[in-house]
Amino acid sequence: MMEQRAVLAGGCFWGMQDLIRKLPGVIRTRVGYTGGDVPNATYRDHGTHAEGIEIIFDPAKTSYRKLLEFFFQIHDPTTLNRQGNDIGLSYRSAIYYVDEAQKECALDTIADVEASGLWPGKVVTEVEPVGDFWEAEPEHQDYLERLPNGYTCHFARPDWVLPSRK
């Protein structure tokens, strides 16, 4: 089995992990801190890092594009540094690409989201090369599996689905 890596940030990492891990083709996930300036980032000291999720997936079972489409369905990419009640740089929307193919896919997907008119505003999602990913503490991993009624601001929005590509 071949594996590929995706790194995304879209607000609190608990809800993103809980939804994305259930997708066909997702092999494993972990939450952590990425896209910032603090080495060995932690929950108490993550500087300008975003709360992110690392996704290892099987490209024979799902595509990077499908992951991105779902990513845009479960968080609001039109709110700058915010998801629901979570406000600040840690909760920004970002795609951290691992190669040029992912970068192009991210930019194409964002263009399709913008062109669709389905989302409530202009997409503010950052598209940056992947950097260090500092794994979050054990209490943050698999949070909503351990605490099913725990906090989340992520949910699948049925009205935010891109039309099928021909």
Side-chain angles (χ1 to χ4, degrees):
M1 168 180 43
M2 194 169 129
E3 295 181 357
Q4 288 186 8
R5 178 181 187 227
V7 179
L8 306 172
C12 176
F13 43 34
W14 298 336
M16 284 187 36
Q17 182 182 39
D18 191 57
L19 294 170
I20 290 172
R21 72 165 8 113
K22 297 171 184 169
L23 294 175
V26 171
I27 299 165
R28 64 186 175 279
T29 61
R30 65 182 179 141
V31 297
Y33 314 100
T34 191
D37 61 352
V38 175
N40 302 306
T42 65
Y43 186 74
R44 299 243 183 265
D45 182 20
H46 56 268
T48 61
H49 285 292
E51 289 192 9
I53 178 172
E54 179 185 64
I55 306 155
I56 305 301
F57 66 98
D58 179 350
K61 295 183 179 175
T62 194
S63 66
Y64 184 66
R65 169 72 185 216
K66 289 282 185 201
L67 291 175
L68 292 182
E69 288 178 2
F70 189 70
F71 169 68
F72 283 112
Q73 186 185 7
I74 65 170
H75 88 290
D76 187 346
T78 70
T79 54
L80 186 62
N81 300 330
R82 178 179 192 160
Q83 284 302 304
N85 294 326
D86 296 331
I87 300 172
L89 198 56
S90 299
Y91 306 110
R92 69 186 178 270
S93 176
I95 298 169
Y96 299 100
Y97 58 87
V98 301
D99 58 26
E100 286 302 309
Q102 282 192 357
K103 178 182 179 182
E104 290 307 313
C105 184
L107 295 173
D108 288 347
T109 306
I110 289 170
D112 289 346
V113 167
E114 290 279 12
S116 75
L118 297 172
W119 279 256
K122 180 172 174 29
V123 173
V124 296
T125 304
E126 299 173 5
V127 178
E128 300 290 336
V130 72
D132 292 327
F133 185 91
W134 307 101
E135 184 172 335
E137 298 77 0
E139 63 267 22
H140 296 293
Q141 305 298 329
D142 309 314
Y143 179 83
L144 289 171
E145 282 194 346
R146 292 182 291 104
L147 299 167
N149 295 320
Y151 173 77
T152 184
C153 61
H154 294 89
F155 56 94
R157 294 160 172 92
D159 295 341
W160 292 7
V161 177
L162 286 172
S164 296
R165 290 182 129 191
K166 294 179 182 177

